[in-house]
Amino acid sequence: MAALRAQLFEPGMVTEGFTPIELADPGGHELRLRFRWHSDSRIYVRLLPVGPEDLATGRLTGGPVPTAIWANEVRLGLIEDLRTGFVREAARRHESDGIVLVERVNGDGYRRNVYYTTDVPLFRPVRGWLRKPRSPTRPSRGSFVMLGADERDARDWEFDPLAGSWLADAGFDVRGPRRLIADGRLLSWKQLREDTSTAAPAGHAAAGWHPEQAGAARLEVVETLPGVPDDASRRLVASVCHEASDAGAAEIVTDLGGPAIDGAGFASAPAGGTTRRIDLRRR
């Protein structure tokens, strides 16, 4: 376990937004990695396999491997999970030491194989782009900290004024998310797609910082095509909510309604009316 701790706790060895807290061995065939993700105040737990009889088992070989190789394989697997949205998409269960993240699933409890969510790309290469020295990190995810409307990335990438054009071509209203971009409030803009190479977008959802309530986010857009299952819509909404939490929002509110909103956990706000909310610190 010391080799793995060295791999995971060394700054810069995993990925941006990952802050390790503890690597614990409760016995058995799994280690418990506790960590924080971006500005989210909650603690997450990722279970890491050790192998039969506590021997380090390689992800690629399926058999015992030298400890250093096993530790590196576990680290690379964790990087892949975190960079592909595992924190937002995984099923969860609350335990005493944090929120345990388990496999990505679809509504039937099996691994995702029908609908999936992904970020709406917000950036494009600067015209006349020339390679020049810069930080290896570029703003590709389009979330967490948005620039103001009159600001531009000083390196190779800029906001795309036509972001979401393919969603508009499919009949979706993208004015709300683009307005959030212009106001510098966008936190998350997700699209829902079928897991095929030719399928058109099946929906989108967007949330931004609340214009009046400090520390709160507001879910402003949820649109899906007719026939999209309620569970797929719910997971689209949940993904946006998780990303708002990643950005440090304490709660998310909305005036929208429907099965996807109810299924994602929104409840009537104390003030009543049509507003619904989720306390993201307790999710």
Side-chain angles (χ1 to χ4, degrees):
M1 193 168 70
L4 182 57
R5 182 179 288 107
Q7 292 263 6
L8 300 181
F9 282 68
E10 180 71 23
M13 288 292 285
V14 180
T15 191
E16 181 184 6
F18 170 79
T19 303
I21 296 175
E22 179 187 37
L23 182 64
D25 182 3
H29 303 318
E30 290 179 327
L31 304 178
R32 299 177 71 89
L33 173 64
R34 302 172 70 236
F35 67 95
R36 284 195 170 92
W37 182 238
H38 288 278
S39 298
D40 194 337
S41 62
R42 296 171 297 181
I43 295 175
Y44 293 101
V45 180
R46 184 69 169 114
L47 303 178
L48 304 175
V50 177
E53 299 179 359
D54 294 335
L55 294 175
T57 301
R59 295 173 63 240
L60 301 179
T61 65
V65 295
T67 301
I69 294 177
W70 165 76
N72 191 53
E73 286 188 0
V74 172
R75 180 180 66 88
L76 293 176
L78 181 64
I79 291 173
E80 180 182 2
D81 282 345
L82 295 176
R83 289 183 176 176
T84 56
F86 186 78
V87 174
R88 297 190 302 276
E89 296 181 6
R92 302 174 171 204
R93 65 174 183 261
H94 290 254
E95 297 189 3
S96 59
D97 60 344
I99 301 171
V100 178
L101 304 172
V102 294
E103 293 300 322
R104 290 181 174 95
V105 296
N106 65 17
D108 298 321
Y110 298 98
R111 191 171 179 80
R112 180 189 72 198
N113 60 8
V114 180
Y115 289 94
Y116 68 98
T117 62
T118 185
D119 294 314
V120 173
L122 302 180
F123 296 89
R124 67 181 183 183
V126 173
R127 294 179 182 179
W129 176 82
L130 294 174
R131 184 177 295 278
K132 53 185 179 291
R134 63 181 180 88
S135 165
T137 302
R138 67 175 175 83
S140 60
R141 297 187 63 254
S143 57
F144 306 125
V145 180
M146 303 304 300
L147 302 179
D150 59 346
E151 296 176 340
R152 290 292 180 266
D153 182 66
R155 300 171 302 200
D156 309 350
W157 299 83
E158 65 182 4
F159 281 114
D160 183 356
L162 299 178
S165 58
W166 58 95
L167 292 167
D169 291 342
F172 296 110
D173 187 351
V174 300
R175 290 174 296 177
R178 287 178 176 175
R179 185 167 54 250
L180 288 172
I181 293 174
D183 292 345
R185 294 194 294 115
L186 183 69
L187 283 174
S188 179
W189 189 6
K190 297 288 185 181
Q191 58 186 335
L192 183 70
R193 306 189 75 98
E194 286 190 79
D195 203 4
T196 67
S197 60
T198 59
H204 73 132
W209 288 112
H210 198 289
E212 299 173 355
Q213 299 179 27
R218 186 166 68 186
L219 178 66
E220 301 201 359
V221 177
V222 179
E223 280 190 291
T224 57
L225 292 177
V228 170
D230 288 343
D231 184 69
S233 300
R234 178 195 62 78
R235 286 184 286 115
L236 171 66
V237 172
S239 182
V240 170
C241 293
H242 290 329
E243 195 154 64
S245 181
D246 292 349
E251 68 174 355
I252 184 165
V253 301
T254 189
D255 293 326
L256 304 175
I261 302 298
D262 295 337
F266 282 89
S268 297
T274 60
T275 302
R276 302 181 182 187
R277 66 182 290 273
I278 294 176
D279 185 342
L280 295 172
R281 295 164 297 187
R282 299 181 181 275
R283 294 290 292 171

